[in-house]
């Protein structure tokens, strides 16, 4: 397309929104062919603690649900029934493994109220247990759960009472939310109240495509207001419960960008502004000010507790729509697109640039942003890889510009029941054969998992098999890493720090008294224990467990606490393409190595160090497994005394004076205890 034509169609001045500050309304279109995706694939675009996720919703995958949607399905556009969907209810373990195989750290799912409370006031404890098991199984694999309390569906008995059409019904939903929060909030840190209230209200009451299939502006106003009332009450109620303070609770808002089809046409501009106001801004403004003016409402109303009722804002982003006063109100008529844009199977265009505009739009809330959904309907998976790259690129750039974006959940884990479209729109990273229920990874799934892997923190390997003889009596009956320091085993402190740095998996190498680790757990991290049967030394222990090691790992000592920034350390390791990176401090009473030009030249821990020694190894290192495979051997040997000399001038020194704490002697243990009590990480 000629540049001038493109400019003429889309150029626009900046628009001002008084309550939200200023956000750019420029319809940016980028030349994606010139974008360099290398940082995306090499792991340089996102911070290490970034939440990488996939998302689903109960009714779309579970199968066998009876709710407002199952009742509506025969009358929906496609007429297709959800039926047994992906049969996820009976394939939970298999599906958790699929999530795990994508390398992601987070999973967003919704809780099916109609299963938990099939009749009013009658709780199905087995269903609650099912969700509780789901959470346990996710955590055991190092995947953090995020639970949504309302994702378009609710029980029939509540539907018959009028659902969100009556304010007094909100109490029923709050009771359900409390029930689930009490059951899961000891383990679930992330909660979404309502998924896409604007979509629920407009699809159900303006377009009539979702249940109850009505077209009534009056009801749209009432339902929209009650959704906001419900969200605010839910947030306030859950925050007041046990674990409420700790958990993060937020609203999930779908942001649709509306652009005038012709910039120069005031009617098109007016229509875009109108739709933007009704679909996006009135909801955001409601959260910000506590006063809500529902779509097409004339007056705003103060909703108690609404102002500031979110710890984060969930953004679901899919596309932009080009507005004219004569836009179709039926979704089966193709929306207008720009000539250079590509249509998704849903017929709306792929427009990744709009994700940045969605971030700008919600930034007035001053809340952490999480992309709780982004994905594409693409039957043959030929568009999804590029869709993923573009949207992640936009997200990474926004982070680089200083925006507080904490995570990205791809929609969806697997193909599923796409509401009014039935099974015709496929959004999954896994293909699902709806006859056999077989799941198959798509190319886009492999790409997403590759990008995630490149950004995820490596596995942590902890050497916890030492005898700890210098600690005397204590270590005769308790392994050193399980000694209690400031209220919990030192191993828990080490794992707390690793988890905070974004690590989700740890391999713990035990030896002496290794059986005592049998019941050891650390919520949110997948732990693997491997016990040596006879003392093998640090090198022998690693060699002995080489089948469990990942290609790159962070090596720690099981009795040292070293609160160093892993992100910077890993970045240094990557930048220097080092096979082995040691952290080196220059602020220690002794020195045990010589580093020259960023490389370790000599190492000697015997005690008689030459005067030119200029550093001390402070504990945390990054190891490429190839180093172990090339230099390791059977039997008993010391990692540091064997490998460091052999890697002379090859191993990198990462100079950093973050203090490390060891507990080699009772005095040092006491100092560590004092430090942990004071700092309370
Ligand atoms: C909804 C999902 C839906 C997706 C794709 C989102 O608005 O939350 O349930 O499957 O869009 O259309």
């Amino acid at each position: 397309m000629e540049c001038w034509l493109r400019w003429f169609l889309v150029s626009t001045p900046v628009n001002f929104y008084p309550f939200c500050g200023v956000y750019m309304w420029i319809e940016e279109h980028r030349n994606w062919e010139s974008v360099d995706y290398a940082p995306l694939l090499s792991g340089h675009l996102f911070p290490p603690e970034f939440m990488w996720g996939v998302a689903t919703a109960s009714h779309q995958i579970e199968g066998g649900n009876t709710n407002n949607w199952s009742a509506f399905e025969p009358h929906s556009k496609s007429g297709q029934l959800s039926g047994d969907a992906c049969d996820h209810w009976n394939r939970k373990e298999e599906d958790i493994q699929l999530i795990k195989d994508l390398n992601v750290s987070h999973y967003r799912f919704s809780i099916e109220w109609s299963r938990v409370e099939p009749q009013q006031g009658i709780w199905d404890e087995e269903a609650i247990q099912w969700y509780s098991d789901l959470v346990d199984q996710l955590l055991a694999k190092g995947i953090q759960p995020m639970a949504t309390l309302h994702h378009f569906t609710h029980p029939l008995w509540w539907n018959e009472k009028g659902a969100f059409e009556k304010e007094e019904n909100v109490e029923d939903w709050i009771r359900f939310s409390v029930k689930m929060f009490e059951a899961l909030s000891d383990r679930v840190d992330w909660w979404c109240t309502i998924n896409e209230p604007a979509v629920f209200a407009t699809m159900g009451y303006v377009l009539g495509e979702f249940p109850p299939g009505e077209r009534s502006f009056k009801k749209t106003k009432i339902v929209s207001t009650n959704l906001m009332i419900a969200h605010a009450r839910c947030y306030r109620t859950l925050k007041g419960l046990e674990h409420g303070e700790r958990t993060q609770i937020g609203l999930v808002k779908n942001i649709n960008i509306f652009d005038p089809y012709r910039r120069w046409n005031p009617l098109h501009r007016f229509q875009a502004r109108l739709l933007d106001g009704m679909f996006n801004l009135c909801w955001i403004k409601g959260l910000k000010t506590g006063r809500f003016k529902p779509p097409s409402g004339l007056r705003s109303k103060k909703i108690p507790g609404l102002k500031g009722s979110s710890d984060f804002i969930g953004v679901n982003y899919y596309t932009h729509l080009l507005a004219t006063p004569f836009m179709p109100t039926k979704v089966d008529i193709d929306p207008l697109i720009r000539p250079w844009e590509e249509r998704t199977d849903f017929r709306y265009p792929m427009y990744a640039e709009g994700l940045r505009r969605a971030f700008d739009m919600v930034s007035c809330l001053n809340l952490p942003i999480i992309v709780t959904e982004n994905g594409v309907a693409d039957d043959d998976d030929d568009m999804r890889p590029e869709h993923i790259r573009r949207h992640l690129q936009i997200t990474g750039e926004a982070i680089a510009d200083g925006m507080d974006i904490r995570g990205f959940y791809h929609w969806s884990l697997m193909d599923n029941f796409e509401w009014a479209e039935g099974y015709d729109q496929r959004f999954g990273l896994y293909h699902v054969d709806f006859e056999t229920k077989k799941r198959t990874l798509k190319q886009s799934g492999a790409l997403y998992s590759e990008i995630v892997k490149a950004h995820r923190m490596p596995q942590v390997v902890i050497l916890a098999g030492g005898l700890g003889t210098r600690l005397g009596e204590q270590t005769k009956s308790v392994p050193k890493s399980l000694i209690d320091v400031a209220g919990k085993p030192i191993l828990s402190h080490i794992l707390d720090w690793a988890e905070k740095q974004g690590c989700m998996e740890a391999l713990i190498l035990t030896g002496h008294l290794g059986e005592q680790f049998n019941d050891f757990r650390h919520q949110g991290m997948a732990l693997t224990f491997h016990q040596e049967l006879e003392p093998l030394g640090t090198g022998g222990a690693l060699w002995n467990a080489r089948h469990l090691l990942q290609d790159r790992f962070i090596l720690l000592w099981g009795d040292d606490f070293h609160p160093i920034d892993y992100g910077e350390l890993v970045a240094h390791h990557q930048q220097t393409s080092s096979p082995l990176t040691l952290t080196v401090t220059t602020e220690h009473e002794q020195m045990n190595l010589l580093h020259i030009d960023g490389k370790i030249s000599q190492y000697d821990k015997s005690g008689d160090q030459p005067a030119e020694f200029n550093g001390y190894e402070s504990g945390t290192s990054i190891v490429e497994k190839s180093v172990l495979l090339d230099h390791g051997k059977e039997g008993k040997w010391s990692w540091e005394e064997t490998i460091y000399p052999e890697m002379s001038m090859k191993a990198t020194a990462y100079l950093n004076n973050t203090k490390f704490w060891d507990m080699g002697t009772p005095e040092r243990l006491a100092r560590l205890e004092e430090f942990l009590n004071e700092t309370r990480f």
Side-chain angles (χ1 to χ4, degrees):
M1 154 113 357
E2 296 290 331
C3 301
W4 64 267
L5 178 55
R6 197 181 267 228
W7 178 85
F8 184 63
L9 283 169
V10 302
S11 69
T12 184
V14 174
N15 280 266
F16 292 87
Y17 286 88
F19 67 88
C20 260
V22 182
Y23 79 84
M24 305 295 280
W25 219 38
I26 294 176
E27 189 187 329
E28 188 206 353
H29 285 272
R30 192 180 274 212
N31 176 5
W32 285 100
E33 271 159 34
S34 65
V35 173
D36 175 14
Y37 290 127
L40 194 61
L41 291 158
S42 61
H44 290 117
L45 211 57
F46 293 88
E49 66 285 358
F50 194 70
M51 303 158 70
W52 289 99
V54 281
T56 62
S58 56
H59 189 67
Q60 295 180 269
I61 60 167
E62 285 177 358
N65 287 334
T66 307
N67 55 28
N68 58 325
W69 254 96
S70 61
F72 178 77
E73 282 157 16
H75 318 286
S76 78
K77 187 180 126 197
S78 73
Q80 294 179 28
L81 309 183
S82 53
D84 52 5
C86 306
D87 195 30
H88 171 66
W89 193 258
N90 299 308
R91 292 164 198 258
K92 171 164 41 60
E93 288 75 13
E94 180 192 343
D95 291 341
I96 292 173
Q97 189 55 45
L98 299 185
I99 301 169
K100 177 79 187 160
D101 292 345
L102 290 173
N103 295 311
V104 296
S105 53
H106 288 70
Y107 173 55
R108 174 175 175 235
F109 63 95
S110 75
I111 302 170
E112 183 58 39
W113 181 10
S114 64
R115 283 188 184 272
V116 169
E117 195 181 3
Q119 290 171 48
Q120 181 160 17
I122 300 186
W123 302 105
D124 183 335
E125 294 302 333
E126 270 179 37
I128 298 177
Q129 191 56 46
W130 188 95
Y131 288 108
S132 181
D133 293 345
L134 172 76
V135 166
D136 282 343
Q137 290 164 13
L138 287 166
L139 288 171
K141 289 209 182 302
I143 301 160
Q144 292 288 340
M146 176 186 253
T148 302
L149 289 161
H150 191 275
H151 195 125
F152 300 161
T153 55
H154 42 250
L156 281 175
W157 60 262
W158 200 64
N159 211 39
E160 278 151 23
K161 284 175 80 175
F164 285 111
E165 289 170 27
K166 297 207 180 96
E167 190 184 333
E168 66 262 28
N169 291 347
V170 167
E171 268 324 296
D172 298 325
W173 178 68
I174 302 284
R175 217 172 304 120
F176 153 73
S177 301
V178 167
K179 182 88 179 166
M180 291 316 301
F181 194 80
E182 284 175 348
L184 306 181
S185 63
D186 57 335
R187 288 155 291 150
V188 177
D189 289 349
W190 295 92
W191 292 81
C192 304
T193 55
I194 295 174
N195 180 69
E196 304 185 344
V199 172
F200 180 87
T202 44
M203 292 298 273
Y205 293 90
V206 181
L207 297 174
E209 299 278 339
F210 280 16
E214 296 202 26
R215 282 171 172 259
S216 153
F217 279 115
K218 189 172 167 220
K219 283 197 183 170
T220 307
K221 273 192 270 182
I222 298 172
V223 167
S224 301
T225 307
N226 288 339
L227 284 161
M228 281 309 237
I229 292 174
H231 159 75
R233 270 194 220 163
C234 182
Y235 176 84
R236 299 288 163 207
T237 311
L238 302 188
K239 277 284 165 188
L241 299 178
E242 191 185 356
H243 306 301
E245 275 301 302
R246 198 204 67 233
T247 47
Q248 302 294 306
I249 306 174
L251 181 74
V252 170
K253 177 73 194 86
N254 174 301
I255 303 289
N256 235 315
I257 301 290
F258 294 95
D259 286 311
Y261 181 53
R262 300 282 183 233
R263 284 282 157 192
W264 42 265
N265 187 326
L267 293 175
H268 294 195
R269 295 172 76 105
F270 175 77
Q271 180 74 353
R273 290 287 289 270
L274 189 77
L275 292 171
D276 190 30
M278 288 183 359
F279 196 85
N280 300 320
L281 299 178
C282 72
W283 305 85
I284 299 170
K285 185 176 177 182
L287 270 186
K288 174 128 184 114
T289 63
R291 294 192 70 84
F292 183 58
K293 182 150 82 71
S296 76
L298 293 177
R299 260 166 299 147
S300 68
K301 170 177 163 174
K302 184 171 185 322
I303 293 183
L306 182 62
K307 187 172 174 180
S309 58
S310 263
D311 300 325
F312 64 90
I313 183 75
V315 169
N316 290 359
Y317 174 75
Y318 287 91
T319 193
H320 75 154
L321 291 174
L322 302 182
T324 72
F326 313 105
M327 282 173 82
T329 55
K330 275 270 165 208
V331 271
D332 46 5
I333 300 173
D334 275 358
L336 294 161
I337 60 169
R338 299 292 178 210
W340 56 86
E341 286 180 338
E342 218 183 315
R343 283 190 195 278
T344 68
D345 287 356
F346 231 115
R347 312 303 296 152
Y348 53 66
M350 163 158 75
Y351 178 58
E353 296 88 331
L355 179 58
R356 174 55 192 255
R357 296 167 67 193
F359 294 150
D360 288 340
M361 199 187 286
V362 297
S363 64
C364 64
L365 293 170
N366 293 322
L367 290 173
I369 300 169
I370 297 174
V371 180
T372 33
E373 283 180 34
N374 175 256
V376 61
D378 175 26
D379 187 28
D380 47 11
D381 202 42
D382 61 349
M383 189 186 219
R384 191 172 292 102
E386 183 61 11
H387 193 276
I388 290 173
R389 281 191 286 264
R390 288 188 187 179
H391 288 80
L392 287 177
Q393 179 73 24
I394 292 280
T395 309
E397 287 174 12
I399 295 172
D401 288 347
M403 300 194 86
D404 185 6
I405 301 163
R406 303 279 174 92
F408 187 102
Y409 289 73
H410 187 273
W411 182 273
S412 178
L413 166 66
M414 55 186 157
D415 295 338
N416 57 43
F417 179 72
E418 178 50 37
W419 308 114
E421 308 291 321
Y423 291 104
D424 298 338
Q425 303 285 358
R426 292 179 175 268
F427 275 89
L429 293 176
Y430 286 92
H431 175 271
V432 177
D433 177 329
F434 291 109
E435 289 294 311
T436 62
K437 309 295 177 208
K438 187 168 184 286
R439 285 89 157 116
T440 312
L441 185 68
K442 299 180 189 177
Q443 255 193 17
S444 55
L447 171 75
Y448 188 62
S449 111
E450 197 189 327
I451 296 172
V452 175
K453 190 164 183 210
H455 286 90
R456 287 287 307 278
M457 272 291 166
Q459 170 195 40
V460 170
V461 177
I462 303 177
L463 293 162
L467 293 175
T469 28
R470 279 181 303 166
L471 275 177
E473 279 306 302
Q474 267 204 82
T475 45
K476 289 208 177 117
S477 55
V478 182
K480 221 157 78 157
S481 307
L482 291 185
I483 289 182
D484 211 82
V485 194
K488 57 187 175 191
I490 180 65
L491 182 57
S492 301
H493 292 287
I494 296 171
L495 291 172
D496 277 348
W497 182 257
E499 192 193 343
K500 227 173 150 190
Q501 299 300 300
C503 300
M504 295 274 168
E505 280 171 73
L507 170 65
I508 298 157
L509 304 182
T510 67
H512 168 61
L513 303 170
E515 349 29 271
Q516 291 192 24
F517 291 88
N518 284 351
D519 298 325
F520 188 91
R521 302 273 176 281
H522 191 85
Q523 189 169 310
M525 278 185 96
L527 305 187
T528 308
F529 291 90
H530 192 65
Q531 185 178 6
E532 63 192 14
L533 299 175
E534 55 187 277
L536 291 173
T538 44
L542 284 166
W543 182 256
N544 189 36
R546 61 193 181 283
H547 58 292
L548 297 170
L549 294 170
Q550 293 179 4
D551 291 346
R552 173 182 295 163
F553 55 92
I554 300 177
L555 184 60
L556 305 175
W557 308 102
D559 52 355
D560 275 8
F561 185 70
H562 188 205
I564 189 174
D565 186 321
Y566 290 2
E568 286 175 13
L569 172 61
V570 172
H572 189 82
H573 178 80
Q574 282 174 334
Q575 276 152 19
T576 52
S577 305
S578 170
L580 170 66
T581 301
L582 308 184
T583 46
V584 173
T585 174
T586 52
E587 290 178 359
H588 196 72
E589 59 267 27
Q590 303 137 16
M591 298 284 136
N592 63 4
L593 55 80
L594 175 67
H595 62 91
I596 304 170
D597 297 335
K599 296 284 172 203
I600 309 282
S601 155
Q602 287 180 52
Y603 174 83
D604 183 353
K605 71 168 193 180
S606 66
D608 307 321
Q609 292 90 4
E612 73 265 26
F613 270 25
N614 56 2
Y616 191 87
E617 196 224 326
S618 46
T620 311
S621 37
I622 314 277
V623 186
E624 296 297 314
K625 184 177 176 181
S626 55
V627 172
L628 176 75
L629 298 182
D630 292 348
H631 299 268
K633 54 188 178 212
E634 287 292 338
K636 184 173 179 183
W637 55 281
S638 151
W639 169 256
E640 56 280 26
E641 283 166 288
T642 312
I643 300 292
Y644 297 175
E646 289 188 22
M647 296 294 290
S648 171
M649 291 313 280
K650 289 195 199 114
T652 299
Y654 174 67
L655 295 181
N656 182 296
N657 288 335
T658 304
K659 195 164 162 39
F660 71 92
W661 308 80
D662 75 88
M663 39 185 265
T665 61
E667 301 73 47
R668 292 201 219 141
L669 178 61
R671 262 182 272 149
L672 170 60
E673 177 132 43
E674 196 181 322
F675 169 72
L676 289 172
N677 276 330
E678 271 166 20
T679 41
R680 299 237 157 265
F681 280 105

